[in-house]
Each structure stands twice: as structure tokens, then as C-alpha cells.
Amino acid sequence: MGANKTVEYISIAFKCITLAVEVYDYFNQRPKHDIVVPDDMEETVRKAKAALKLDTLHFFNFGVAGHSKTGKSSLINAIRGLEDDDYERGAAEVDVTETTHEITQYGFPNPLLKDVRIYDIPGAGTLTHDANNYYQDKRICAFDTVIICIQESVCREEIDFAIQCIKYNQPIVFVRSRCDTVMDNLKKQKRITQVDQAAVDNQIQKMSEAFKREIERTKIAELRKVPCFFISAYSLRDHMNGKESDVYQEKLFIDFIIAESKRRRNIVF
Ligand SMILES: Nc1nc2c(ncn2[C@@H]2O[C@H](COP(=O)(O)OP(=O)(O)O)[C@@H](O)[C@H]2O)c(=O)[nH]1
Ligand SMILES: [Mg+2]
């Protein structure tokens, strides 16, 4: 192996380690503060924590909500750095029809992330539960941050659900996963010649603008502050495993949930 190649490999290895350390640096510390909620909502949040058996003192708890097939389980596996079929390490089952409305808890197989828990909140806004009741029934207010998985466009239930979160001073973020399939389709339709970073960036710009227009149409000012990140579960898994893969907005997304959950716990940067 030539000297140049060796230097290149060392440099790539170094970048991977730096990336991994950045992510773990936050997640591997127990929260130093409990979540902060408006005074008049403390009692509700206390009851919610008890009902869900959430330990907000020792764990960061992230909820993932959204309709069936929006990619929640895949996103959870990706954040945990797992392949979808890594059942030995407790991968969430992908592509199953949601027959339950039970919230499922997932820890992190990586011991460095032992103080983080992530929760699958299935079927938000289905016909059996309207979004407002769902928020109350499921005691969503006790999570540090709620990640709302959406499809091509934001629907009414997702908007109502987001408004409930905002009322509880709860950080939320919309995520549109499966962006790799969007790019593949554009190529098949011959609207792009290849899937390179320029084509991805261009498409993300278009999707972000379309998202903003949808939010504007709701005429709800608070929602303008809620970002939407466009990602692929596959790139996100690589990102979480410290590989240099930030094809869509994986790094922005993880940085955002870290920053917002700190805000909710009054952790000053
Ligand atoms: N190509 C691609 N497929 C995805 C992605 N995320 C989810 N999927 C697929 O979308 C389908 C539904 O995903 P799943 O995680 O089960 O959605 P859930 O019902 O919301 O938990 C499955 O076939 C996944 O493999 C992604 O980022 N890229
Ligand atoms: Mg699922």
C-alpha cells in the first residue's frame, strides 16, 4: 500500500471517529436536568411520566410518531445503528401492519448510548383516535422530543398532533424519510441523469419549499418554527455508526434533536 493511500485511510478513520464521538458525546451522558414544562402543565406531565413509566431523570426519551408505513420502525433501527434484520440486538420489525396502539420502548444496544430510550408511538391520527385525544391518551407530553414521520405531504392529523406538542413546550420535528426512493424514482422517470449530491440537494430544496407552503396554508404561526428534515433511514444508520454518510439531512436531523432536547432540559450550550 502506498504512503498516500495510508494517509488517506488514516484520515478517513479519523473523520469517522470524530463523527461518532460528536454523536456519542451527548447521548452517553445521563441527563443532568429533568424536562422543563410550563408550570400549569407540571401535574399533567407528572402523571404522563408515571403512566408511561418514563424515567426522565436518568434517560433521554425520544418518541417517534406517525402513520403506519411512514418509516418509524426503520428510523428507530437507524438511530440505534441497527440493520433491520438484526433481531438479536432487538431491531424493530419493519414492514409490519400496525395492529396495536401500544407504545414500544427501545434501548440502545451500544453501551455508550445506554442513557437514551426511543419509543415507537404507532398509528397517531388513525381513524380510531383523533389526534388531540391521541396526544392526551398516549401521554405524549412526557417525551423529550417527538419525531413526527410524514409522507409526501403533511396531513390534518399530523398538524393537530404537532399543535398539541407545541402547547406543552415540547420540541417536535417533522421527518420525511425514504428520500432515497424519491431520487431513484426521479432517475427512472429520466428527470435526472444520476443521483449525485447536486441532484439530492436540488430535490431537498424543492421538497423543503413544498413543505413550507403546506405549513403556510395552515395559517398557524407556531408551526413555522418546526423544521422538516429529509432523510433516508439507510444513510442515517451509516451516520449513527460513524460512517461518513450525510447524503440527505441526517446530520442536521440528529444535531437538531440533540439541541432541542437540551433546550427542554435547560441545558445551556
Ligand atoms: N428505500 C427506503 N425504504 C424505507 C425507508 N424507511 C422505511 N422504508 C421502507 O418503508 C416500509 C415501511 O417502513 P416501516 O419502518 O415498517 O414503517 P412504519 O410502519 O412507520 O414503522 C418498509 O418496507 C421499509 O423498508 C428509507 O429510508 N428508504
Ligand atoms: Mg413500525
Side-chain angles (χ1 to χ4, degrees):
M1 184 163 48
N4 281 349
K5 268 276 173 245
T6 312
V7 171
E8 195 185 316
Y9 286 145
I10 291 173
S11 147
I12 291 172
F14 185 70
K15 276 190 194 152
C16 293
I17 292 166
T18 316
L19 255 178
V21 168
E22 269 176 28
V23 174
Y24 293 155
D25 204 34
Y26 170 77
F27 281 129
N28 72 0
Q29 290 171 36
R30 288 199 164 182
K32 294 186 181 70
H33 307 253
D34 204 338
I35 53 175
V36 180
V37 293
D39 287 348
D40 55 341
M41 289 169 180
E42 262 177 12
E43 184 56 13
T44 319
V45 174
R46 193 192 59 73
K47 283 188 187 152
K49 282 192 227 171
L52 288 173
K53 299 193 179 62
L54 281 197
D55 178 350
T56 54
L57 266 182
H58 297 98
F59 295 94
F60 291 102
N61 301 290
F62 297 105
V64 182
H67 286 278
S68 188
K69 304 282 180 244
T70 45
K72 296 183 299 300
S73 302
S74 309
L75 180 82
I76 289 171
N77 289 339
I79 295 185
R80 299 169 76 217
L82 297 183
E83 298 286 335
D84 289 334
D85 60 358
D86 193 347
Y87 298 119
E88 257 178 41
R89 292 200 291 166
E93 233 183 307
V94 162
D95 230 354
V96 288
T97 307
E98 286 171 359
T99 50
T100 166
H101 287 275
E102 290 309 309
I103 293 179
T104 312
Q105 175 195 294
Y106 295 92
F108 277 73
N110 185 329
L112 285 172
L113 302 174
K114 62 185 185 315
D115 298 323
V116 181
R117 286 175 172 171
I118 191 158
Y119 296 76
D120 189 338
I121 312 168
T126 55
L127 293 176
T128 47
H129 291 76
D130 83 59
N132 298 353
N133 285 340
Y134 190 88
Y135 189 88
Q136 307 299 337
D137 284 357
K138 295 293 164 195
R139 326 268 188 180
I140 309 288
C141 59
F143 291 107
D144 280 75
T145 301
V146 181
I147 299 161
I148 306 173
C149 291
I150 58 169
Q151 275 167 326
E152 281 77 17
S153 52
V154 199
C155 67
R156 191 66 236 177
E157 292 101 332
E158 289 153 351
I159 296 289
D160 290 346
F161 186 78
I163 293 169
Q164 292 292 317
C165 299
I166 290 170
K167 253 178 36 194
Y168 281 83
N169 187 33
Q170 187 168 40
I172 43 172
V173 55
F174 288 111
V175 166
R176 161 106 188 260
S177 198
R178 309 165 79 161
C179 288
D180 53 311
T181 58
V182 174
M183 298 312 295
D184 289 346
N185 287 344
L186 287 175
K187 183 149 183 278
K188 281 181 199 140
Q189 294 156 1
K190 301 201 171 25
R191 288 163 65 191
I192 54 172
T193 47
Q194 55 180 345
V195 180
D196 55 17
Q197 197 60 53
V200 165
D201 293 346
N202 188 31
Q203 186 57 26
I204 288 180
Q205 167 111 17
K206 283 186 188 159
M207 293 189 294
S208 298
E209 281 163 12
F211 171 79
K212 281 188 196 134
R213 283 196 296 274
E214 281 175 14
I215 294 296
E216 281 306 317
R217 275 200 288 274
T218 68
K219 299 194 176 17
I220 299 165
E222 294 98 319
L223 284 177
R224 289 193 196 123
K225 290 187 222 133
V226 181
C228 180
F229 293 106
F230 297 87
I231 65 157
S232 154
Y234 306 123
S235 312
L236 179 62
R237 177 172 45 237
D238 286 347
H239 178 67
M240 294 307 290
N241 285 332
K243 293 187 193 150
E244 226 187 330
S245 172
D246 184 26
V247 185
Y248 300 91
Q249 296 187 312
E250 291 76 22
K251 182 173 179 339
L252 284 176
F253 164 57
I254 292 296
D255 288 352
F256 179 85
I257 58 171
I258 288 175
E260 284 298 287
S261 59
K262 275 188 183 175
R263 178 173 73 77
R264 194 161 197 227
R265 286 172 185 267
N266 261 1
I267 299 175
V268 183
F269 292 82

